[in-house]
Amino acid sequence: MKKILILGAGIYQVPLIKKAKEMGLYTVVTSIPGNYPGFALADKVVYENTIDLEAVLRLAQQEQVDGVVTAGTDVCIPTLAYVCDQMGLKGLTLTAAEKAQSKLLMKQAFVEHGVNTAAFEYVDIHNANPVEVCQRIGYPVMFKSIDASGSRGITKASAPEDIPFAYKEVVENTHSKHYIIEKFLSGEEYGAQAFVYDGTIRFILPHGDYVFQGGTGVPLGHFAPYDMSEEIIEDSKLQLQRAVTALGVDNCAINADFMLVDGKAYVLEIGARAGATCLVEMTEQYYGIDYYRQIIRCAMGEEPDFTPGNAQRQPCVVMLFQSDKTGTIRAIDMGDQSAPGVLDVSLDYGVGDTVRKFRKGPDRIGQCIVIGPTVEAAKQTLDEAMAKVKITVE
C-alpha cells in the first residue's frame, strides 16, 4: 500500500485525509499535539512540528512515503518542498516555497518580474513606531508579518494612532526580524484558484470574495463565477502567470488574492497550496472535478486530470459560520436543511466546545456550501440556510 504524508491535522486537512483514505492510501498525519480533528482519521499519527524541516524529513524517510501534501495553510509549505527535494518526490522546490511563504521574497520577486503589486517597504522588527515609513507610503497602509498565514499578522493602519496595534499584531505573529508595510489598495478584492503542473497552469478560476472587515479584510466566503469583463479576466490571468513565473512555483495548487484597482488587476499575494474557506469545495462544484483527488494525484507523482465534469458550469456560493464573541457553545439548532441546492451545512464544534470571536480565518466554527442556477439564486439559498442555524455562545 502506498503511503502519503499529510502535514497538519486541522479542519482544512480533514477532507484531504478522507480523500487519501478513499483512494486506498495509507495516511501518515503529522502535527504538534492538540485537539485537531484529523488525528482521529489518520492511519498513523506522529507528533512533529510541521515547520521543522529535518524532523519531518526524518519521518518521511522512516515511513518511506510516496508523497507529501497539505491544504489550507502556508506555514509548512517550505517543509513540504524540502521533503520533496530530498526524497525526489513530486512537488514544488524549496527555493520556490520560500518565496511563496515569505511575503518579502514574494513582493521582491513580483517587482522584478513586472507583476502589478502594491508599493511596500521592508522594516526592522525593532521599529515599533514607523511613522516616517507610513508617511512615505501614504495612509492607509497594511502592516504584514512576512511569515504567517491565515490572515494572521496583517492589519490596516489608517493613521498614526493605529500603528501600535498594527505593530503588536505583527510581533505576535512572526518569527522574523523584519516585517512589511505596504500601500493599502482601495478597490474590489477577489481571488483565483489555479493549478500548475510541469510548468503549465492547468486551470484558473476567478472568484468573488465576501470579506469580513476587521483590522484587515478576512475572507468569510466566496462565489463563482465572478462577473468581470473579458479584459479584466485576461489581465488577471496575465498577472497570475507572471506571479507564478516570478516565484518559480510548480506542481501544486495555487491560491491567489487580487485587488481590482482602476480597472487593473493587482496581485496581493499567492499561496502555493489550495485555498481555505471552502475554496476547494467551490472549485469542485463549479467545474465538477474531484479537486482533492487531483491534488493528491500530483503529490503521488501521477498526472492530475482537471477535465470539467459539468457540461454547464455550476454556480456555487460558500460561507463560514463565525461567532461574534469568545465563549462556550451552549446550544445548537441546525434547522431543516433539506432545501434544493443546499450541499453542506456543518459545524466544526459541538455543545460544550469553546470558540473564539471571529477575527481571522482559523476562527471559523463551521461552513455552508450551496449551488444554484445563478450566483444570485445560490446566495439567496445560502442566506436562508444560514439563517436557520441558531448557535448560542455564552
Side-chain angles (χ1 to χ4, degrees):
M1 180 182 289
K2 289 188 175 183
K3 291 184 178 181
I4 188 165
L5 176 61
I6 298 174
L7 305 185
I11 193 66
Y12 290 124
Q13 288 81 50
V14 165
L16 205 56
I17 299 169
K18 289 181 177 178
K19 183 59 62 174
K21 290 175 69 66
E22 179 187 308
M23 294 170 66
L25 301 175
Y26 184 88
T27 55
V28 181
V29 174
T30 186
S31 174
I32 58 174
N35 186 27
Y36 299 116
F39 287 148
L41 304 172
D43 292 302
K44 183 172 184 177
V45 173
V46 180
Y47 298 120
E48 294 287 359
N49 192 326
T50 59
I51 66 173
D52 188 332
L53 277 66
E54 296 297 341
V56 175
L57 175 61
R58 286 194 298 270
L59 169 61
Q61 292 172 331
Q62 290 166 2
E63 293 293 331
Q64 297 182 327
V65 301
D66 300 284
V68 57
V69 71
T70 193
T73 180
D74 294 313
V75 294
C76 62
I77 294 299
T79 303
L80 183 153
Y82 183 65
V83 172
C84 289
D85 278 355
Q86 296 299 311
M87 295 183 64
L89 302 177
K90 195 76 170 182
L92 73 167
T93 66
L94 180 57
T95 299
E98 288 175 337
K99 289 182 180 179
Q101 197 264 353
S102 167
K103 291 180 176 63
L104 172 65
L105 297 178
M106 181 185 298
K107 295 282 291 186
Q108 290 174 332
F110 284 176
V111 172
E112 291 171 3
H113 286 78
V115 181
N116 288 347
T117 193
F120 72 100
E121 289 196 28
Y122 187 45
V123 186
D124 189 283
I125 198 69
H126 297 296
N127 188 347
N129 192 30
V131 175
E132 292 183 1
V133 175
C134 296
Q135 288 175 338
R136 279 198 301 271
I137 295 174
Y139 290 102
V141 298
M142 300 296 291
F143 280 60
K144 289 189 174 184
S145 161
I146 67 174
D147 57 351
S149 67
S151 301
R152 298 180 181 91
I154 303 178
T155 306
K156 180 181 177 182
S158 299
E161 55 266 29
D162 297 332
I163 290 176
F165 178 76
Y167 175 75
K168 175 177 174 290
E169 287 293 294
V170 165
V171 171
E172 291 179 352
N173 291 279
T174 189
H175 299 286
S176 176
K177 296 180 180 179
H178 298 85
Y179 62 100
I180 284 175
I181 299 177
E182 72 176 28
K183 180 66 178 175
F184 175 80
L185 295 178
S186 179
E188 185 175 353
E189 186 171 346
Y190 65 102
Q193 298 304 295
F195 201 98
V196 58
Y197 180 79
D198 282 351
T200 301
I201 295 180
R202 302 294 292 268
F203 78 86
I204 299 175
L205 174 59
H207 54 78
D209 295 335
Y210 298 111
V211 178
F212 170 80
Q213 296 297 340
T216 181
V218 178
L220 266 181
H222 311 277
F223 61 89
Y226 184 54
D227 186 17
M228 53 171 51
S229 70
E230 191 62 34
E231 182 180 0
I232 294 174
I233 291 175
E234 290 305 312
D235 187 28
S236 301
K237 291 179 178 179
L238 173 62
Q239 299 307 321
L240 183 60
Q241 180 63 70
R242 287 177 177 174
V244 166
T245 300
L247 302 183
V249 295
D250 199 1
N251 301 312
C252 63
I254 299 293
N255 177 54
D257 295 324
F258 288 89
M259 185 71 76
L260 184 62
V261 181
D262 297 329
K264 293 184 178 180
Y266 281 73
V267 181
L268 300 178
E269 58 185 68
I270 70 172
R273 45 79 178 176
T277 58
C278 305
L279 282 164
V280 173
E281 289 78 6
M282 184 193 70
T283 303
E284 289 184 332
Q285 292 302 322
Y286 184 71
Y287 281 124
I289 60 175
D290 193 337
Y291 198 9
Y292 283 115
R293 179 180 295 271
Q294 306 317 319
I295 291 170
I296 292 170
R297 283 175 59 89
C298 179
M300 298 297 288
E302 304 172 22
E303 183 172 358
D305 181 7
F306 296 108
T307 304
N310 292 334
Q312 184 174 359
R313 304 288 166 80
Q314 181 66 70
C316 180
V317 180
V318 299
M319 188 73 71
L320 300 183
F321 286 103
Q322 72 278 354
S323 175
D324 60 3
K325 61 182 175 180
T326 296
T328 301
I329 297 179
R330 298 302 183 190
I332 296 173
D333 181 358
M334 299 300 290
D336 178 7
Q337 300 295 347
S338 60
V342 178
L343 303 182
D344 179 35
V345 180
S346 58
L347 299 181
D348 307 330
Y349 300 91
V351 174
D353 289 337
T354 299
V355 296
R356 296 186 299 270
K357 178 179 179 179
F358 189 88
R359 291 191 64 252
K360 309 293 183 184
D363 296 332
R364 57 167 276 173
I365 61 174
Q367 64 186 33
C368 184
I369 303 172
V370 305
I371 56 174
T374 65
V375 167
E376 292 73 20
K379 181 60 167 58
Q380 181 176 345
T381 300
L382 179 136
D383 289 341
E384 293 170 353
M386 295 189 72
K388 295 176 182 177
V389 179
K390 308 299 181 184
I391 306 169
T392 303
V393 178
E394 298 178 345

